[in-house]
């Protein structure tokens, strides 16, 4: 019983493209995004997989799978909204940091 060529090609594909190329691309991507953003991207991996399986393979999610995808996406959006609020708070000046110029009764500063 020799090695079937189609099995050998499938193993080669999984080893080279899915594993080696995926890890290489992940390493490059993590160099240009923040750790928080990278964590969000990777947390959404099951949602991407389900979406691609639906579009490319015609697979359907069970109601439990849809609920899981909604929960994962919702948690990612909630986390992202929290990050955006912190960023906005840093970018906008607060009223306590502004200085007012007062004038004297004679109009001098």
């Amino acid at each position: 019983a020799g090695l079937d060529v189609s099995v050998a090609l499938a193993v080669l594909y999984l080893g080279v493209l899915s594993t080696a190329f995926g890890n290489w691309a992940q390493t490059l991507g993590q160099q240009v995004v923040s750790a928080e953003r990278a964590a969000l991207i990777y947390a959404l991996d099951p949602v991407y997989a389900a979406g691609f399986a639906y579009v490319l393979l015609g697979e359907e999610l069970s109601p439990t799978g849809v609920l899981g995808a909604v929960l994962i996406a919702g948690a990612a959006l909630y986390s992202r909204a929290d990050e955006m609020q912190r960023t906005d708070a840093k970018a906008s000046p607060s009223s306590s940091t502004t200085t007012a110029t007062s004038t004297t009764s004679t109009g001098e500063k």
Side-chain angles (χ1 to χ4, degrees), residues 21-86:
F21 178 75
N23 287 332
W24 175 76
Q26 177 181 340
T27 302
L28 289 179
Q30 285 179 313
Q31 293 174 1
V32 295
V33 299
S34 68
E36 195 170 60
R37 186 163 291 171
L40 281 175
I41 292 167
Y42 298 126
L44 288 169
D45 196 37
V47 179
Y48 302 143
F52 283 123
Y54 175 78
V55 171
L56 299 175
L57 303 174
E59 293 189 15
E60 294 185 17
L61 281 177
S62 68
T64 306
V66 171
L67 177 63
V70 167
L71 288 174
I72 292 170
L77 288 172
Y78 176 76
S79 174
R80 182 74 176 127
D82 185 47
E83 177 186 341
M84 290 178 68
Q85 286 177 351
R86 284 184 276 135

